[in-house]
């Protein structure tokens, strides 16, 4: 079925996080660190970590149901599900499991991987399906369970990451609320942050050898990632603002990937956006990768901070390396 080309609006949001929380003091019993050391360098005070029996599909489904409910839709009205994740329960993809779990029987579903930029990349992808008339109601979920892939003996990385999910419903709308965007990638810097395959050779027969293995834990050059973020993120936001024909002082909220409070502060300072306009829940959740932007958005909406019509400058950045920004107005 085809629809006439229209605009897009974000009409619902939801989020979910595992119940167990691990504080900085608790982590100090695992590695040589302290609450003061972690908080002063990252802004993180605690993170939610999935239990061994917890699944990405459960978290994603909880967030999705909340977003669909806020949008005033039924699950079988969703046309497309995009699951932005780097940590699926199934390496073949988990979006179809979410589709089944929430009863979105009419939706096509697939995973999208762009690490911490996944939500922004997914938002732009969803908009193209709606603007071309292919679909009217799209569910975009950002979800990650990074605790599965953390080296808990490496204090440089284990203190950073948490688990969670956030979701939004994006619908066809008479006026277009996605005002502008800019996306970028640079694979030459992949070494700065990755979760790479690590294999060993296996001899199948005398003349046939293959690689077989797993993935190594997350590795990161924190200084390089920081330098990359504080330079490239303001640039990409400025370009998205230019495409949207929006002045910086017209932005109501700056919504960045929740990686490090120092990065959030540095980007806001460069853009001359006051701290009271910066959305941050990093202290409670840590870095939840693709989940961080929609999780923070959902809290801000439900707390009454973000109101219909507010202009939001959102930016994701991370492994790949990938980065991007989207300028949108909340609601119809």
């Amino acid at each position: 079925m085809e629809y006439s080309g229209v605009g897009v609006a974000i009409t619902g949001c939801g989020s979910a996080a595992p119940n167990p929380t691990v504080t900085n003091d608790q982590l100090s019993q695992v590695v040589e660190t302290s609450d003061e050391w972690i908080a002063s360098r990252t802004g993180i005070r605690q993170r939610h970590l999935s239990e061994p029996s917890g699944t990405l599909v459960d978290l994603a489904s909880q967030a999705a149901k909340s977003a669909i409910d806020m949008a005033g839709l039924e699950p079988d009205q969703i046309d497309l599900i995009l699951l932005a994740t780097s940590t699926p329960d199934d390496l073949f993809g988990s979006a179809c499991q979410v589709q089944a779990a929430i009863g979105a029987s009419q939706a096509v579903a697939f995973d999208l991987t762009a690490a911490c930029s996944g939500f922004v990349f997914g938002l732009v992808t969803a908009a193209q399906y709606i603007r071309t008339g292919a679909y009217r109601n799209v569910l975009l979920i950002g979800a990650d369970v990074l605790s599965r892939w953390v080296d808990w003996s490496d204090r440089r990385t284990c203190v950073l990451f948490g688990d969670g999910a956030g979701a939004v419903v994006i619908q066809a709308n008479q006026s277009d609320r996605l005002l502008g965007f800019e996306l970028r990638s640079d694979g030459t810097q992949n070494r700065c942050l990755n979760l790479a395959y690590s294999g060993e050779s296996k001899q199948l027969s005398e003349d046939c050898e293959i690689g077989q293995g797993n993935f190594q834990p997350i590795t990161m050059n924190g200084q390089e990632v920081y330098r990359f973020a504080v330079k490239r993120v303001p640039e990409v936001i400025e370009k998205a603002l230019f495409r949207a024909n929006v002045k910086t002082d017209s932005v109501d909220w700056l919504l960045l990937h929740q990686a490090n409070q120092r990065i959030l502060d540095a980007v806001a300072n460069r853009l001359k956006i006051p701290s009271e306009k910066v959305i941050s829940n990093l202290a409670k959740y840590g870095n939840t990768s693709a989940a961080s932007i929609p999780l923070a958005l959902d809290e801000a909406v439900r707390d009454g901070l973000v109101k219909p019509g507010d202009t939001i400058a959102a930016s994701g950045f991370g492994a790949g390396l990938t980065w991007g920004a989207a300028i949108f107005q909340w609601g119809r």
Side-chain angles (χ1 to χ4, degrees):
M1 182 177 181
E2 299 232 338
Y3 302 92
S4 59
V6 289
V8 301
I10 302 176
T11 60
C13 57
S15 62
N19 284 325
T21 58
V22 175
T23 66
N24 293 344
D25 286 331
Q26 288 173 297
L27 270 186
S28 69
Q29 301 171 30
V30 179
V31 290
E32 186 180 348
T33 189
S34 68
D35 177 64
E36 190 279 331
W37 190 92
I38 299 169
S40 64
R41 288 163 176 77
T42 70
I44 300 168
R45 293 286 183 180
Q46 65 175 37
R47 68 286 296 147
H48 294 249
L49 302 181
S50 180
E51 294 179 327
S53 60
T55 69
L56 179 98
V57 169
D58 286 343
L59 288 174
S61 299
Q62 290 175 44
K65 289 174 182 177
S66 294
I68 293 170
D69 184 63
M70 182 185 287
L73 296 176
E74 295 297 328
D76 62 7
Q77 292 178 281
I78 299 296
D79 302 309
L80 170 67
I81 298 172
L82 299 176
L83 174 60
T85 186
S86 301
T87 56
D89 293 332
D90 185 330
L91 201 56
F92 287 152
S94 290
C96 291
Q97 291 172 275
V98 174
Q99 182 240 30
I102 66 175
S105 56
Q106 303 304 306
V108 63
F110 62 89
D111 288 23
L112 180 155
T113 301
C116 303
S117 305
F119 181 80
V120 172
F121 279 42
L123 176 60
V124 173
T125 301
Q128 309 319 304
Y129 280 103
I130 294 174
R131 286 172 172 170
T132 58
Y135 301 120
R136 292 190 65 85
N137 301 318
V138 179
L139 172 66
L140 169 62
I141 309 164
D144 272 303
V145 184
L146 287 172
S147 62
R148 295 171 175 171
W149 300 106
V150 166
D151 178 355
W152 292 100
S153 66
D154 179 6
R155 75 168 184 170
R156 297 168 301 175
T157 57
C158 76
V159 302
L160 300 175
F161 299 105
D163 304 332
V168 295
V169 171
I170 307 161
Q171 294 187 265
N173 197 55
Q174 186 171 358
S175 57
D176 201 345
R177 300 303 188 187
L178 177 58
L179 307 179
F181 66 85
E182 182 81 9
L183 305 178
R184 293 298 178 91
S185 301
D186 182 3
T188 65
Q189 297 190 73
N190 174 262
R191 69 191 185 284
C192 295
L193 175 56
N194 58 35
L195 202 172
Y197 169 78
S198 177
E200 298 178 353
S201 62
K202 181 179 179 65
Q203 199 77 34
L204 288 187
S205 64
E206 186 175 334
D207 56 355
C208 180
E209 187 177 14
I210 64 166
Q212 194 166 42
N214 209 316
F215 292 89
Q216 65 181 21
I218 295 169
T219 60
M220 181 176 69
N221 183 324
Q223 291 182 336
E224 286 297 320
V225 172
Y226 177 85
R227 282 195 286 265
F228 146 74
V230 298
K231 179 181 180 182
R232 296 303 183 189
V233 172
E235 289 177 355
V236 81
I237 292 174
E238 287 173 339
K239 288 177 180 177
L241 287 167
F242 176 79
R243 294 186 185 279
N245 194 27
V246 172
K247 301 295 184 184
T248 306
D249 57 10
S250 296
V251 171
D252 295 301
W253 301 103
L254 180 63
L255 176 54
L256 303 180
H257 163 53
Q258 307 287 295
N260 184 306
Q261 191 62 44
R262 287 181 173 180
I263 294 175
L264 272 62
D265 294 342
V267 172
N269 288 337
R270 167 119 175 234
L271 295 171
K272 296 182 171 58
I273 293 177
S275 59
E276 59 267 23
K277 289 187 174 184
V278 180
I279 295 174
S280 175
N281 65 357
L282 183 68
K284 295 189 293 182
Y285 295 97
N287 180 342
T288 56
S289 192
S292 75
I293 291 176
L295 203 164
L297 174 65
D298 182 54
E299 284 202 340
V301 169
R302 294 180 188 273
D303 288 345
L305 298 177
V306 173
K307 297 177 174 59
D310 281 1
T311 299
I312 299 170
S315 181
F317 50 92
L321 293 177
T322 58
W323 66 105
I327 314 303
F328 64 90
Q329 292 173 319
W330 170 251
R332 294 189 184 278

